[in-house]
Amino acid sequence: MSKGITSREESYANWYTDIIKKAGLADHSAVRGCMVIKPYGFGIWENMRDQLDRMFKETGHVNAYFPLFIPKSFLSKEAEHVEGFAKECAVVTHHRLMNDPNGNGVVVDPSAKLEEELIVRPTSETIIWNTYKDWINSYRDLPLLINQWANVVRWEMRTRLFLRTTEFLWQEGHTAHATKQEAVEEAEQMLHIYAKFAEEYMAMPVIKGRKTPNERFAGAEDTYTIEALMQDGKALQSGTSHFLGQNFAKAFDVKFLNQNQKEEYVWATSWGVSTRLMGGLIMTHSDDAGLIVPPKLATTHAVIVPIPKPGPEIDEAAEKIMKALKDKGIFVKYDTDKKKRPGFKFAEYELQGIPVRIGIGKRDLEKGQVELARRDTGEKTQVPLDAAAGVVEQLLDEIQNNLFQKALDYRAAHTSSADDFDTFKEILEDKGGFISAHWDGTTETEKKIKELTKATIRCIPLDNEQEEGKCILTGQPSKERVLFAKAY
RNA sequence: CGGGGUGUAGCGCAGUCCGGUUAGCGCACCUGUUUUGGGAACAGGGGGCCGCAAGUUCGAAUCUUGCCACCCCGACCA
């Protein structure tokens, strides 16, 4: 179908990598596990970032920036936190290089050893709470609603473009509150914002839920998550929001005087989404012909292809349409490259996932028409030149909705329930997806199921229906179903 | 970290087993001509530390040793 893209059927993993590389989103870099995000990929990320940033600001958050480096001692102040991250930290031990006495380039200067090692942040709770200690004294200083856009480093054993890279870009919100209830509400609010963003902008349906204690963030009392389902039947944890209780406040001694003049520890949340969302975006919509970008995140909404090449009449028609589209706030590109033939351009823009293609040829113009082709369905229609911009605007809405609906249908078709372990395993084998099943509530059972099937509990859905049942593995009583899946 | 694989032009590969002129092919790139409604054709042209290092040899992309990097599968992973 498309040149150089492995089909999903042949190898989903290779298809995924091919899409990213051929569409120009990102590349492997010279550094192990780290990627170069190319202009096209970064443009889509910028659109995500800008929209999320608006949503954060609308809910009263402000941006700040904290250091990349964290003193080693900070990390160990919260016991669970350090345990969760210790195995994947990049550590700075020296601050100077020198010429190799043996003439082989440069070497680390042993005399420049740091007194205390610095950790490249895997997440910023510790450095931020160490700072909050100085910022918070009174209930009047609360709530503190801060977000930062940053890069973090987690030295994972195995990496995949966008889904799990050694260094990645993300935002991390860190809030401080006077009461437990307010903090819980904040954590829930941010989860809803993530879900709204995923569904309305990425056209990626998500399940909102809570993590089991075993899958919780290191140092959290409760972790909320949005879980999406990819085309290969695997789940992708797409965003998390944590209620941190008073754990970090206690670890960093962050207290405030309440209105009754009593000293109290602050209540905390943290929440984040990362460039992993790009992976979710790709795997939710794209096909064997290439990337598909939902219009609300597209850097270019429509592209005009002159057929067979630019010329006075076609240019004039293109100008007209471009002006009308720009007036509507729609980004359009006119491809005037004379070296490439139309067929090549068609394939190229499909690969890049541009939502709408506008073909203008002499034959069309003689009839006063242009051809519109939508990326999601491949459907082509002839429309009058004067009406083109209006139809494109409408098409973009339709594409956005259709992508969401398609993904929703896929998820519905790949969400099952199982009441015994054999059925559970069969479903996992046959079609994957989410499986709703009873679980006895113990970490031991959860781990055993993972060991036997590789499936994990993705979440306990919010507003979960209460229902008597028996654990699929142990037969112990259970009062609600949880959502299992194999995950990225 | 275990298993498998790959490093030769921007990309994709052949050549390596069995050492020997000037390292080759397709795509891409440059020039020109003809083309142009679903990845154009012809002609001419440019581009190489053959992953790195050491060794064997008259001679190494090819043999030996060491190292490095990346990919896939697994283990691991808010």
Side-chain angles (χ1 to χ4, degrees), chain A residues 91 109 313:
Chain A
V91 183
D109 182 344
E313 290 162 34

Side-chain angles (χ1 to χ4, degrees), chain A residues 117-325:
Chain A
E117 291 94 336
L118 295 172
I119 312 301
V120 180
R121 63 182 165 213
T123 179
S124 302
E125 273 78 5
T126 56
I127 183 79
I128 287 179
W129 279 87
N130 180 73
T131 310
Y132 281 3
K133 177 182 163 62
D134 298 334
W135 290 2
I136 298 170
N137 295 302
S138 148
Y139 69 92
R140 294 179 215 276
D141 298 325
L142 299 171
L144 192 54
L145 306 173
I146 291 184
N147 174 65
Q148 84 165 343
W149 290 95
N151 56 341
V152 289
V153 167
R154 295 183 187 177
W155 215 269
E156 304 281 1
M157 290 185 216
R158 188 162 160 225
T159 58
R160 298 197 64 193
L161 291 172
F162 288 120
L163 294 175
R164 188 177 298 104
T165 45
T166 301
E167 178 193 14
F168 56 95
L169 305 184
W170 77 343
Q171 58 70 216
E172 47 182 326
H174 296 272
T175 68
H177 305 265
T179 67
K180 175 177 180 179
Q181 191 194 342
E182 197 185 299
V184 169
E185 281 169 7
E186 166 76 4
E188 286 175 354
Q189 171 185 240
M190 297 324 288
L191 186 80
H192 293 310
I193 285 178
Y194 287 156
K196 186 178 159 81
F197 173 76
E199 300 198 331
E200 290 184 13
Y201 289 83
M202 297 174 66
M204 178 174 83
V206 294
I207 305 275
K208 293 181 273 195
R210 280 192 161 78
K211 287 294 188 187
T212 60
N214 181 49
E215 296 269 338
R216 247 178 228 156
F217 175 71
E221 302 225 324
D222 207 353
T223 288
Y224 297 90
T225 177
I226 50 170
E227 299 283 328
L229 192 62
M230 304 294 103
Q231 294 170 355
D232 61 346
K234 284 166 82 172
L236 184 73
Q237 176 177 306
S238 305
T240 47
S241 179
H242 317 289
F243 167 60
L244 301 173
Q246 293 174 310
N247 293 342
F248 285 90
K250 285 176 179 166
F252 289 89
D253 195 32
V254 185
K255 292 184 230 174
F256 70 102
L257 267 186
N258 67 19
Q259 296 182 63
N260 305 322
Q261 305 195 351
K262 277 177 86 176
E263 209 170 44
E264 277 188 68
Y265 284 112
V266 168
W267 298 85
T269 80
S270 70
W271 29 274
V273 294
S274 70
T275 34
R276 172 178 257 204
L277 288 178
M278 291 287 291
L281 189 77
I282 296 160
M283 286 197 288
T284 300
H285 306 300
S286 303
D287 61 23
D288 289 350
L291 185 69
I292 295 181
V293 186
K296 284 192 181 175
L297 293 175
T299 54
T300 301
H301 298 112
V303 62
I304 299 175
V305 177
I307 300 165
K309 63 179 175 185
E313 290 162 34
I314 292 176
D315 289 351
E316 193 190 328
E319 291 295 337
K320 210 167 160 186
I321 292 174
M322 281 194 286
K323 184 175 182 315
L325 288 174

